[in-house]
Amino acid sequence: MTANDTDRATYRTISAVWRIEQPRLITGLSRMLRDVPLAEELTQDALVAALEHWPQTGVPEKPGAWLMATAKRRALDHLRRVRMLARKHEMVARELEEEQQAMPDLDSALDDEFGDELLRLIFTACHPLLSREGRVALALRMICGLTTEEIARAFLLPAATIAQRIVRAKRTLSESGLGYETPRREELSERLSSVLEVVYLIFNEGYTAARGEEWLRPQLCNEALRIGRVLATVAPLEPETHGLLALMELNASRTMARTDAAGEPILLLDQNRALWDRLQIRRGMQALGRARELRGADGFYALQAALVACHAEAATADDTDWSRIAALYARLSARVPSPVIELNRAVAVSMVEGPQAGLAIVDRLADEPALKTYHLLPNVRGDLLFKLGRYDEARAAFEAAAGLAGNKREQDFLKRRAAEAADAAKPWLSNQP
């Protein structure tokens, strides 16, 4: 292996470690410093240090502990540099120094599982002083480690717009003096909807990654599920906490069947349902039942969970109740008008009324600004065109979808669909005069 190959391997490792450790680092520093933006800045400094040192020294045995130790040293340096006129800074610096001496092995816990501190930090970032959009973007970027591009994909907005939201939210958080906190009672309820949205988007990014080489990011799905389970105990009378948990449990139950041995995607109707996790399906159905008991059947998350439950309850793909799914999408679209929901409804309608009926809905969405760069629009259109035997148009649609997809697995899959459409068109073309 050449030196360049070694460096590339090290940088890939750093990137992978960073995705896992960033939320833990910010959580730990925020707890100690009571300053979320400062914690985020020092975490970035630790990453720079890793990029400088690890290519020469190798990746440490416990990379999380190394990064936290580096960040803590920089935190101490920062507090020593500034004039610590405020008693708060003096106290924090002294506590940090004492902790470094008394509990030197504490940082090793960073290489273990997350604690509930991450959820507390998400609640801090979802302070009502920030705009709803700013809260969610800030939490996803700074705390949960998603890139600006990944967040933009979740919102179907330009990356520059998301970047501006994050900058404004950070500034507001810094200037307001809001600290790391645990909201109680009314404050918790006031922030809950934003927290649920953050958890929902974390799970979605793990379920189908916007970027990168792999289609799935199981670590994000697992962390979202963990937080969702905690939220169901923190807010047990809120139906949407149970609705979201049901949605995540039911979706996650299909994880083992969603990719083949090479990591390539397998579409829902082609999956081996024997690989679906029946225990997780039962947990999801129980959570959905609890949401309904709390009169939350028409909640945003509960309706989506009900949609996934239709698939979970079908023994085979042919047993799927597509009429019910189409009706649920209509209810969901009426509650939360969205071109993405309409796109999904088009698929369900096509299964009930035929591909032409679905294509009519898709074509009405063609000029939706939010879907201009959304790869699933041409993907769905290509699938419907293929079923109608319009193979050349289907090929063009799949190629357009591949050009918009950011994930390599999805790009490769869509290119294969385009090639399949091109092959299907050849006999028809050979018969032309």
Side-chain angles (χ1 to χ4, degrees), residues 305-327:
L307 284 161
V308 184
C310 290
H311 296 291
E313 292 171 328
T316 68
D318 291 338
D319 295 330
T320 306
D321 189 347
W322 286 105
S323 295
R324 174 164 171 72
I325 291 174

Side-chain angles (χ1 to χ4, degrees), residues 31 116-125 180-183:
R31 183 177 63 248
D116 292 340
E117 295 295 336
L118 180 62
L119 179 57
R120 184 176 291 115
L121 191 55
I122 293 174
F123 268 103
T124 298
Y180 180 72
E181 59 185 357
T182 305

Side-chain angles (χ1 to χ4, degrees), residues 105-324:
D105 295 329
L106 186 63
D107 297 335
S108 297
L110 285 171
D111 295 285
D112 300 327
E113 292 297 318
F114 278 95
D116 292 340
E117 295 295 336
L118 180 62
L119 179 57
R120 184 176 291 115
L121 191 55
I122 293 174
F123 268 103
T124 298
C126 290
H127 196 285
L129 188 61
L130 306 178
S131 69
R132 185 192 70 82
E133 297 84 358
R135 297 174 212 166
V136 176
L138 179 67
L140 291 172
R141 175 71 188 96
M142 194 168 72
I143 301 167
C144 303
L146 301 192
T147 67
T148 303
E149 291 73 19
E150 289 165 350
I151 301 169
R153 180 250 199 183
F155 284 104
L156 298 180
L157 290 171
T161 301
I162 296 299
Q164 290 171 358
R165 287 181 182 177
I166 294 170
V167 168
R168 284 196 296 268
K170 282 185 182 180
R171 185 183 302 120
T172 301
L173 204 59
S174 294
E175 294 175 352
S176 65
L178 295 174
Y180 180 72
E181 59 185 357
T182 305
R184 304 290 181 185
R185 296 173 185 169
E186 295 83 4
E187 289 181 343
L188 187 147
S189 296
E190 189 177 15
R191 304 183 194 189
L192 184 61
S193 63
S194 293
V195 172
L196 291 176
E197 186 175 4
V198 169
V199 177
Y200 173 65
L201 294 174
I202 293 171
F203 182 87
N204 285 351
E205 175 58 28
Y207 193 70
T208 306
R211 305 282 173 189
E213 299 289 325
E214 299 303 325
W215 197 41
L216 310 179
R217 293 174 63 183
Q219 186 263 342
L220 286 181
C221 287
N222 292 338
E223 183 57 17
L225 273 165
R226 188 196 67 79
I227 295 174
R229 291 165 186 156
V230 173
L231 281 170
T233 63
V234 170
L237 299 181
E238 294 286 346
E240 280 290 72
T241 63
H242 299 285
L244 175 58
L245 180 58
L247 174 61
M248 295 190 297
E249 296 278 16
L250 290 169
N251 270 328
S253 71
R254 302 198 298 254
T255 298
M256 293 300 293
R258 294 185 66 228
T259 57
D260 63 17
E264 298 298 334
I266 301 175
L267 296 180
L268 173 62
L269 298 184
D270 298 327
Q271 290 172 13
N272 179 0
R273 299 187 178 214
L275 296 177
W276 291 3
D277 188 329
R278 308 314 299 183
L279 176 60
Q280 199 158 30
I281 289 173
R282 286 198 294 274
R283 287 203 299 260
M285 296 303 292
Q286 288 171 357
L288 180 57
R290 183 56 180 154
R292 288 168 173 166
E293 289 172 4
L294 294 169
R295 299 182 178 181
D298 280 331
F300 176 65
Y301 303 114
L303 280 173
Q304 291 184 76
L307 284 161
V308 184
C310 290
H311 296 291
E313 292 171 328
T316 68
D318 291 338
D319 295 330
T320 306
D321 189 347
W322 286 105
S323 295
R324 174 164 171 72

Side-chain angles (χ1 to χ4, degrees), residues 258-423:
R258 294 185 66 228
T259 57
D260 63 17
E264 298 298 334
I266 301 175
L267 296 180
L268 173 62
L269 298 184
D270 298 327
Q271 290 172 13
N272 179 0
R273 299 187 178 214
L275 296 177
W276 291 3
D277 188 329
R278 308 314 299 183
L279 176 60
Q280 199 158 30
I281 289 173
R282 286 198 294 274
R283 287 203 299 260
M285 296 303 292
Q286 288 171 357
L288 180 57
R290 183 56 180 154
R292 288 168 173 166
E293 289 172 4
L294 294 169
R295 299 182 178 181
D298 280 331
F300 176 65
Y301 303 114
L303 280 173
Q304 291 184 76
L307 284 161
V308 184
C310 290
H311 296 291
E313 292 171 328
T316 68
D318 291 338
D319 295 330
T320 306
D321 189 347
W322 286 105
S323 295
R324 174 164 171 72
I325 291 174
L328 285 168
Y329 270 122
R331 285 168 59 186
L332 184 61
S333 185
R335 189 190 186 284
V336 184
S338 160
V340 174
I341 294 173
E342 276 296 286
L343 182 62
N344 284 302
R345 188 175 75 85
V347 175
V349 168
S350 76
M351 299 299 289
V352 179
E353 303 176 23
Q356 188 60 55
L359 185 61
I361 298 173
V362 171
D363 285 344
R364 288 199 295 270
L365 298 171
D367 294 327
E368 284 285 344
L371 300 183
K372 287 294 185 184
T373 59
Y374 190 51
H375 70 286
L376 293 183
L377 177 64
N379 179 21
V380 170
R381 189 169 189 275
D383 187 61
L384 296 174
L385 288 167
F386 189 93
K387 290 176 179 177
L388 288 168
R390 295 159 61 176
Y391 301 122
D392 200 45
E393 293 175 81
R395 176 194 53 76
F398 287 133
E399 288 176 349
L404 293 173
N407 181 278
K408 188 177 186 304
R409 296 285 186 178
E410 278 194 298
Q411 289 172 357
D412 292 344
F413 175 78
L414 290 164
K415 288 175 182 176
R416 288 195 297 272
R417 292 300 311 273
E420 181 185 358
D423 288 342

